Amino acid sequence: MPPLTIAIIGAGPGGLLLARLLLRSPPPISVSIFEAEASATTRSQGSTLDLRPGGGLKAMREAGLWDEFCAHARWSGEALKVVDKKLVTWLSRSGGSQTEPREWGAAPEIDRRVLRDVLLGSVGEGVVRWEKKVASVEVDDGTGKGVVRFVDGGEEGGFDLVVGADGCWSKVRAAVSEVKPVYSGVGGFSFSISDCERRAPEVWKLVDGGSVFGYSDSKGLNGQVLGDGSVSVSAWGVRGEDWMRERGYDVYDLEQAREGTKKEYVGWAKELTNMLDAVDDDVVPRSLYMLPVDFAWEHKRGVTLLGDAAHVMTPFAGIGVNMALQDAMELAHAIIDAAKETGKSVGKDVLDEQMRKYEKELFPRMHAAQEITDGAMKDMYFTEGAPRTSIHRWCSTVAGHDMHPLVRPVFTAALYTYFFIFRMFV
Ligand SMILES: Cc1cc2nc3c(=O)[nH]c(=O)nc-3n(C[C@H](O)[C@H](O)[C@H](O)COP(=O)(O)OP(=O)(O)OC[C@H]3O[C@@H](n4cnc5c(N)ncnc54)[C@H](O)[C@@H]3O)c2cc1C
């Protein structure tokens, strides 16, 4: 039997990890990744991601990339402060020891760009086909094989499976569903402060090697340390979908975006607005889109989805990349199991059976993650008086996600009691 032939659309973390795992499979599997970008360095790869035990960390170990991951991960980056606009601290978590990599109970940070480089380096030359922007995917009724069509008019076919790992605006999704992401109601800017310790020592002190999340008045102002000594600053707020056009200034111009944003944070503690004063790099205006929380698709032979293509969420629970990596792991197991069986069970479409199993496991897992993320967004951006009025729920939702179901109710009860008492004093 010829090896299974898999096309992966998108060289993000999910697509790359899937390729890495398939290329290590004992039964040989042929893998091609088609990526829209021209090269690995085309686009700013964004800020920092925390990898968690059941998702990203497990994936790194299974992919044989644990040591390389540990060499770049910031264990101290777990430090987190949640404050309000007056700088009242509602939650404070210290960072781990940078010299102490561990898999359980940890959520080390890694820059998105570095994670992508680690994964890219692991798949070897020639696997990623750059500048191959996909327009659509079809399954040929006659042969049952997948055909990938590109925006430049070219096409490639003969694939046993086409995997949509092409993010929020997936073109592969259209092969299985008409549903499109909807605007979450939240948008804003990502900025960057270069060489923060030297250029803005007061901000450096505030973020304390990790992250500070400021919330009030349906807005957020966040700072997160990156591995190169810069601090990524994001300013999110509840606003209409057309906010970029309605702002009356050029949202891609750093100075104009910074000055416009500062006006929205009048009355916030100077320690927080210092972050906006110090930004000197990278202005990225973003409207945050999400798939409906109950999104699922009818199974279709020859095509499936993973990561943001399957369940794009807002970043407010910080679990998107962990989900993408876990999806890639589960999908790799299913494809490798099929590759082991292919040829042995004549007349049975083992790959299709495995894809049904993968999707059956995926849907409840992704719905749980989508609900958590939606809840986290509503708690901080759509609840009057947040964080004071919602911090107990937010903590329970975000921190309780990885907990054993028996521990979670006890943890939640303790949290609610703690914040009930804490609120009496602030
Ligand atoms: C501001 C922000 C902060 C975030 N913070 C966190 C966090 O702290 N923790 C966390 O877990 N998650 C976070 N996320 C989410 C996380 O980045 C995503 O969930 C994750 O990157 C999804 O990985 P993916 O591989 O599915 O898709 P992506 O990373 O989106 O990769 C998709 C790839 O497909 C390519 N592509 C797209 N269209 C096509 C096409 N037509 N043809 C070919 N290629 C195509 C793209 O160029 C890209 O390389 C954040 C997201 C944002 C926006």
Side-chain angles (χ1 to χ4, degrees):
M1 282 294 283
L4 287 177
T5 305
I6 312 293
I8 300 171
I9 315 304
L16 286 167
L17 180 76
L18 176 64
R20 163 75 176 175
L21 294 171
L22 296 182
L23 290 166
R24 277 160 61 91
S25 147
I29 295 173
S30 162
V31 181
S32 303
I33 303 183
F34 298 107
E35 166 58 47
E37 289 179 358
S39 76
T41 53
T42 308
R43 189 175 60 147
S44 156
Q45 286 295 312
S47 66
T48 171
L49 303 165
D50 62 330
L51 298 201
R52 303 195 182 171
L57 294 183
K58 190 169 173 205
M60 288 297 112
R61 202 178 271 292
E62 191 167 317
L65 298 172
W66 181 251
D67 290 342
E68 213 175 327
F69 169 75
C70 289
H72 297 286
R74 295 187 305 283
W75 304 83
S76 62
E78 293 175 309
L80 167 71
K81 240 182 260 150
V82 176
V83 300
D84 63 19
K85 66 179 180 181
K86 293 188 175 142
L87 215 64
V88 172
T89 301
W90 289 90
L91 179 76
S92 178
R93 183 180 72 191
S94 59
S97 155
Q98 213 147 2
T99 55
E100 192 195 315
R102 65 189 197 282
E103 191 171 337
W104 294 106
E109 296 279 341
I110 186 164
D111 293 1
R112 194 179 189 285
R113 180 189 54 75
V114 175
L115 177 66
R116 199 208 207 190
D117 287 349
V118 167
L119 289 165
L120 249 182
S122 79
V123 297
E125 292 277 313
V127 173
V128 180
R129 313 257 308 269
W130 299 101
E131 237 173 338
K132 286 286 200 180
K133 187 167 186 180
V134 170
S136 65
V137 165
E138 276 167 35
V139 177
D140 185 300
D141 287 339
T143 62
K145 300 278 184 182
V147 180
V148 180
R149 298 191 209 289
F150 301 99
V151 290
D152 64 7
E155 68 173 52
E156 296 202 20
F159 299 107
D160 295 302
L161 179 69
V162 180
V163 179
D166 48 344
C168 178
W169 299 109
S170 170
K171 295 292 180 198
V172 184
R173 194 188 301 122
V176 294
S177 168
E178 289 178 354
V179 177
K180 292 198 166 53
V182 292
Y183 179 53
S184 66
V186 178
F189 290 99
S190 299
F191 302 101
S192 176
I193 304 174
S194 64
D195 191 9
C196 185
E197 186 171 15
R198 191 185 59 79
R199 288 192 55 256
E202 67 294 343
V203 173
W204 189 251
K205 196 167 155 224
L206 179 75
V207 292
D208 190 24
S211 306
V212 61
F213 293 159
Y215 297 111
S216 280
D217 309 334
S218 300
K219 289 192 279 261
L221 185 55
N222 311 329
Q224 290 187 285
V225 169
L226 268 68
D228 62 359
S230 65
V231 165
S232 160
V233 176
S234 47
W236 303 117
V238 174
R239 53 195 64 181
E241 195 170 5
D242 280 341
W243 71 273
M244 289 190 209
R245 253 179 294 145
E246 289 165 357
R247 276 301 183 263
Y249 56 79
D250 179 359
V251 293
Y252 294 93
D253 179 273
L254 175 63
E255 272 314 304
Q256 294 185 44
R258 183 239 301 270
E259 289 311 310
T261 304
K262 274 169 67 178
K263 289 188 186 135
E264 295 172 25
Y265 290 86
V266 170
W268 285 52
K270 181 85 183 100
E271 288 83 346
L272 290 167
T273 56
N274 277 340
M275 292 197 279
L276 293 171
D277 287 326
V279 298
D280 64 332
D281 207 354
D282 237 16
V283 54
V284 185
R286 277 201 176 96
S287 297
L288 299 175
Y289 286 81
M290 54 190 263
L291 277 163
V293 169
D294 59 354
F295 173 68
W297 62 91
E298 284 286 321
H299 172 74
K300 179 164 178 167
R301 188 172 183 273
V303 190
T304 197
L305 305 176
L306 67 73
D308 279 10
H311 44 66
V312 64
M313 305 168 236
T314 63
F316 299 123
I319 49 182
V321 81
N322 287 280
M323 284 293 292
L325 295 174
Q326 190 175 350
D327 297 353
M329 239 183 338
E330 305 293 348
L331 183 52
H333 295 163
I335 296 171
I336 292 168
D337 282 351
K340 286 181 189 154
E341 288 299 312
T342 303
K344 283 194 213 157
S345 18
V346 179
K348 235 173 107 185
D349 192 341
V350 284
L351 182 61
D352 193 52
E353 275 177 27
Q354 288 292 342
M355 289 309 99
R356 285 179 190 276
K357 264 170 68 182
Y358 160 72
E359 288 163 5
K360 199 170 164 205
E361 181 276 337
L362 171 69
F363 292 150
R365 183 164 55 78
M366 74 187 206
H367 291 156
Q370 288 169 298
E371 264 172 39
I372 287 164
T373 301
D374 196 45
M377 177 179 75
K378 285 179 177 147
D379 285 342
M380 288 306 181
Y381 290 92
F382 293 93
T383 303
E384 213 177 318
R388 182 184 188 88
T389 50
S390 58
I391 185 76
H392 53 296
R393 235 179 14 240
W394 183 85
C395 284
S396 159
T397 307
V398 175
H401 168 239
D402 295 328
M403 273 177 198
H404 190 281
L406 291 176
V407 178
R408 204 171 159 187
V410 181
F411 171 73
T412 302
L415 263 179
Y416 276 51
T417 311
Y418 170 79
F419 282 114
F420 178 77
I421 297 167
F422 183 72
R423 271 193 289 256
M424 291 180 186
F425 298 96
V426 289

